[in-house]
Amino acid sequence: MDKLLRIPSWILFILMVIVPATFPNSQSGEFLQIGYASLIVFWIIKVDEELYLRIKGKAAISFNILMFGLLFALLYFSVVMILTDGYVIETGKDNYAEYGWLIYIYVPGHLVSFAGYLYGIHFTAYTIHVLEDQLFGERTSYAALLAALFFFPIGIWWTQPKINRILKGKLVE
């Protein structure tokens, strides 16, 4: 399990960017995407849990909110993909006429999912920021970590080595 948590940046990049691009645009491709997204979300939760457990003292973040946000987003988008075959909300068309009352589910669902995504970025950036200070006496800028995690494919090359360095040490009870 430790090897999975401390995966090198280049392998993580391939697994999160290149592999999903190979899924077919069909019903089976949707199920592959949902299954693969589930694996990625559970991996993210496990990595964040390991980081969270290493923080000494009271943390100003909630692991339960992180799990709720990520699992809600996964469940919401999975249900939307399976039941509606995907959809597109645009400003140039009458979305209410096309989607009807479901628009009142889609918009709040997207907002809650995006809030969960943003909290996930905040959670990971904050734990890396605090742990680097506690373990190594160094401080990486919290804003730089947020930006790196927000600009996902590029930032993974910079943040994953930091996560690997933190997780290299043993968890002290």
Side-chain angles (χ1 to χ4, degrees), residues 70-95:
L70 293 178
L71 292 175
F72 177 84
L74 175 66
L75 180 66
Y76 170 72
F77 285 114
S78 298
V79 167
V80 167
M81 284 180 69
I82 290 171
L83 295 180
T84 66
D85 218 15
Y87 62 92
V88 177
I89 295 178
E90 298 174 355
T91 57
K93 64 180 182 179
D94 185 9
N95 293 302

Side-chain angles (χ1 to χ4, degrees), residues 46 49-50 52-57 169-173:
K46 186 61 180 165
E49 178 186 27
E50 289 294 320
Y52 183 71
L53 292 174
R54 284 172 165 73
I55 294 177
K56 296 176 182 80
K170 292 290 180 199
L171 178 63
V172 178
E173 294 292 327

Side-chain angles (χ1 to χ4, degrees), residues 90-144:
E90 298 174 355
T91 57
K93 64 180 182 179
D94 185 9
N95 293 302
Y96 185 77
E98 185 171 343
Y99 298 112
W101 63 270
L102 288 175
I103 197 91
Y104 296 112
I105 294 173
Y106 293 156
V107 172
H110 268 65
L111 292 175
V112 172
S113 297
F114 188 63
Y117 168 73
L118 290 177
Y119 189 78
I121 290 173
H122 160 70
F123 187 95
T124 305
Y126 182 80
T127 54
I128 293 171
H129 175 72
V130 168
L131 285 170
E132 280 193 332
D133 186 36
Q134 288 179 354
L135 299 175
F136 311 116
E138 305 172 352
R139 277 195 176 261
T140 303
S141 169
Y142 171 72

Side-chain angles (χ1 to χ4, degrees), residues 8-21:
S9 302
W10 64 275
I11 294 176
L12 189 60
F13 181 81
I14 290 171
L15 290 175
M16 289 192 164
V17 176
I18 309 286
V19 170

